Amino acid sequence: MSTAIDQSAQPGNAHAGKIVTIERFILDEQQSYPDATGTLTSILYDIALAAKIIASKTTRAGLSDILGSAGKENVQGEVVQKLDEYADRTIFRLNDHTGRLAVMASEEHEDILPIPDHFSVGPYVLLYDPLDGSSNIDVNVSIGTIFAIYRRKTADGRGTLQDCLQRGRDLVAAGYVIYGSSTMLVYSTGHGVHGFTLDPIIGEFLLSHPDIRIPEKPKFYSVNQGYEQFWSAGVQRYTEWLQGKDKTAKPLSLRYIGSLVADFHRNLLMGGIYYYPSDTKDPEQTTGKLRLVYECAPLAFLAEQAGGMAITGTERILDLQPTTLHQRVPFFIGNAELVTKAQEMIQSFD
Ligand code: P6P
């Protein structure tokens, strides 16, 4: 199997033959913006550092007392795993004192996370899901961190909720870290999607997947088919189409890990669609499970940058104006052809 260094040596790769660290790549990218102050670059550095620190724990989770639940629930009513808390605290503490952010918000907390009064504020906003899919920690399934960076909207002072409730189309940068067989950081600042693999020996993220594009020919569909009875008619018919039941297309393989970042990452690299539709399994929560601000908008930004699409079933995710921090939306993301077909069948049969 080729390593990150071998891959960058592939002919046709703009970075062929070079060993490019994420720091160097981000700095090179910044050179393209004469008026850049370096603040966004520094935030991305800090996220890469947080990823290394969290990765050092996830790879040893089974060996330290950090494994297992912290015995309390988060705002989502989910049992908080200790690794969740560690990841959440690590990202906050790496960013609260830098003077680069006006405010933060984390999927693990009900409200916004103000910058402490004794630290100065800055022009950006950081929203993050510290460890998505954390219920998989104890069974050694890949999990991930998702982050979104906006410019603040309020003029000055401490950032507010308004700074955190922005449309995804106004994202300045977004990305994720996947803690799997290797640790990868994948991000975009609106100029393509780029993947970096952590070399744990030297502690560096090295460019391994420049300019990621979702393959035209999809391979997989990812959905929890255990809830099929609770879906709308359009989603049920769409799923049958994906399975080739109407004989107009070859069946796709079902791959569903139950960890959004892992499912999204596989489909980004190999082609496919992930969806978590609205369903009626919980009368209290029929708009689907995934959070617009912390999960859907940042991943939608990446998907579109990689030539894909992301919708609620009827609307473009990046056009949605969030009304609350923990707002959930139905979510279809991946290969443009498959997402478009979902929209058509939902509109025809719902
Ligand atoms: P279900 C994990 O809790 C998560 O938010 C996503 O990472 C994952 O895709 C989804 O929920 C799994 O949900 O209902 O299929 O178990």
Side-chain angles (χ1 to χ4, degrees), residues 206 259 275 301:
L206 301 180
S259 181
Y275 52 113
F301 181 76

Side-chain angles (χ1 to χ4, degrees), residues 132-133 224 227 256 258-260 274 276 289-291 295:
D132 180 81
N224 185 337
Y227 301 144
Y256 189 71
S259 181
L260 170 62
Y274 169 101
Y276 206 107
K289 178 178 183 182
L290 299 181
R291 294 85 174 184
E295 294 162 325

